[in-house]
């Protein structure tokens, strides 16, 4: 009887632990999953943000390149227009200070044409740019030739060149080419602007969606965490109750043993008295 009674509290305690341990283990595993989910959500937010950034950056770089190409084409037209106007002023007045735009065009035109050819190389506009470059060089050469003939006093020659409309045709061809390139670049710039907007919108929606998802995950995690704490508190209460029960059991067993010891002592004393 005594060994059975002594083992019973320990068996009850193990039974309580067996009931609680699977739940606690499951809660711990779910907490690990929640932490993993939070890390995955953070990585997803960073991934979406980086994808949106690189998409927008690429579109902006392309847009910047197109702005530069458009500026070069407009610069080409500006240089030739100013040079043509300067030539006319020189022919009317004979003053060399009118020729500054011609000298500026002679200086800047090669670089402008080189950049334009590089920008449109291997594209459908390559032939148009090559033709515009050729006509621009011919126009500048025609302007310089007229000025040279004027300085030489060869009036019939330079007047014949001016009245032949050859220079006007070349200038008009350059203007038409620049107008086509300008329209093309404006369309492409608008497309790149839309690409930037789409990339930023994608990033915004992605970040907002993942943030909301993370908040939902946080709420679930907090609820699970609260449930885990409640289970721990319940576990602590059960352990306290088990400890109190064991204390009572020990006290009862101790009292029984004490009573038994007294009984045995009384029996021995009675036997001694009887023998005496």
């Amino acid at each position: 009887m005594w060994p059975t009674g002594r083992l019973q509290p320990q068996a009850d305690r193990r039974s309580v632990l067996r009931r609680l341990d699977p739940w606690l283990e499951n809660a711990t595993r779910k907490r690990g999953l929640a932490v993993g989910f939070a890390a995955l959500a953070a990585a997803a937010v960073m991934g979406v943000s980086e994808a949106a950034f690189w998409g927008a950056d690429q579109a902006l770089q392309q847009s910047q390149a197109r702005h530069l190409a458009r500026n070069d084409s407009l610069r080409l037209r500006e240089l030739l227009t100013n040079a043509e106007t300067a030539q006319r002023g020189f022919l009317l007045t004979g003053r060399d200070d009118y020729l500054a735009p011609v000298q500026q065009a002679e200086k800047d035109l090669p670089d402008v044409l080189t950049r334009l050819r590089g920008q449109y190389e291997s594209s459908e506009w390559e032939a148009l740019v090559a033709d515009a470059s050729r006509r621009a060089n011919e126009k500048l050469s025609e302007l310089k030739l007229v000025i040279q003939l004027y300085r030489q006093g060869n009036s019939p020659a330079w007047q014949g060149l001016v009245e032949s409309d050859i220079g006007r045709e070349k200038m008009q061809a350059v203007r038409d080419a620049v107008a086509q390139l300008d329209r093309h670049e404006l369309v492409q710039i608008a497309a790149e602007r839309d690409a930037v907007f789409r990339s930023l919108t994608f990033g915004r929606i992605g970040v907002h969606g993942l943030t909301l998802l993370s908040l939902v995950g946080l709420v679930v995690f907090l609820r699970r965490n609260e449930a885990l704490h409640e289970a721990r508190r319940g576990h602590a209460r059960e352990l306290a109750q088990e400890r109190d029960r064991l204390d009572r059991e020990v006290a009862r067993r101790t009292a029984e043993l004490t009573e038994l010891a007294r009984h045995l002592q009384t029996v021995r004393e009675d036997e001694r008295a009887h023998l005496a």
Side-chain angles (χ1 to χ4, degrees):
M1 176 179 179
W2 287 104
T4 303
R6 188 166 54 250
L7 293 176
Q8 185 65 30
Q10 297 178 359
D12 293 343
R13 183 175 181 180
R14 286 195 296 268
S15 176
V16 172
L17 292 176
R18 280 196 299 270
R19 291 198 308 271
L20 290 176
D21 284 346
W23 200 97
L24 293 174
E25 181 181 357
N26 186 45
T28 302
R29 184 171 60 253
K30 289 183 178 180
R31 183 173 61 180
L33 291 176
V35 173
F37 173 79
L40 182 62
V45 170
M46 289 188 292
V48 169
S49 178
E50 284 297 310
F53 169 78
W54 288 113
D57 182 68
Q58 183 178 6
L60 287 175
Q61 288 181 2
Q62 294 176 353
S63 178
Q64 183 179 10
R66 296 192 181 282
H67 276 291
L68 293 175
R70 181 170 181 260
N71 291 340
D72 283 334
S73 64
L74 296 177
R75 178 61 175 165
L76 169 62
R77 184 176 63 187
E78 179 186 19
L79 287 172
L80 292 180
T81 300
N82 291 342
E84 188 178 45
T85 303
Q87 182 216 51
R88 291 174 183 172
F90 174 74
L91 295 178
L92 290 174
T93 64
R95 294 169 53 184
D96 288 343
D97 54 347
Y98 275 91
L99 297 180
V102 178
Q103 297 169 356
Q104 188 68 41
E106 188 177 4
K107 176 184 176 182
D108 294 347
L109 192 61
D111 292 338
V112 172
L113 294 177
T114 299
R115 289 195 299 268
L116 279 175
R117 286 192 294 266
Q119 176 68 25
Y120 294 101
E121 186 177 5
S122 302
S123 70
E124 58 181 319
W125 302 94
E126 183 177 12
L128 178 65
V129 172
D131 182 68
S133 298
R134 179 177 59 82
R135 290 179 180 272
N137 286 322
E138 291 175 353
K139 175 61 179 178
L140 184 59
S141 297
E142 182 262 337
L143 293 175
K144 292 166 59 179
L145 179 59
V146 170
I147 293 172
Q148 181 181 359
L149 292 174
Y150 180 88
R151 290 183 185 278
Q152 294 174 356
N154 193 346
S155 297
W158 70 261
Q159 289 176 357
L161 281 175
V162 171
E163 294 173 357
S164 66
D165 288 339
I166 295 177
R168 185 179 64 83
E169 293 175 358
K170 296 182 185 301
M171 188 64 193
Q172 187 59 44
V174 172
R175 288 194 180 99
D176 292 342
V178 169
Q180 293 182 52
L181 292 175
D182 189 52
R183 287 193 297 269
H184 168 70
E185 293 303 335
L186 287 176
V187 171
Q188 295 302 315
I189 288 172
E192 298 298 342
R193 187 184 303 114
D194 291 340
V196 172
F197 178 77
R198 286 194 302 271
S199 180
L200 294 177
T201 301
F202 166 75
R204 181 182 181 186
I205 293 175
V207 170
H208 287 181
L210 290 172
T211 300
L212 291 176
L213 188 61
S214 299
L215 290 177
V216 172
L218 177 61
V219 171
V220 173
F221 170 75
L222 291 177
R223 293 183 62 182
R224 294 289 185 181
N225 192 52
E226 179 60 28
L228 177 60
H229 285 304
E230 180 60 29
R232 287 176 175 173
R233 288 191 291 268
H235 186 198
R237 287 193 298 269
E238 291 195 15
L239 289 178
Q241 293 173 0
E242 181 67 15
R243 185 176 60 252
D244 293 341
R245 192 178 69 81
L246 290 175
D247 290 341
R248 291 192 299 270
E249 184 68 18
V250 169
R252 186 177 67 82
R253 299 296 185 182
T254 302
E256 290 179 354
L257 290 174
T258 302
E259 182 64 25
L260 179 60
R262 289 175 181 174
H263 176 70
L264 292 175
Q265 182 66 27
T266 302
V267 170
R268 283 196 296 268
E269 290 177 354
D270 290 342
E271 289 179 351
R272 289 174 183 173
H274 180 71
L275 292 175

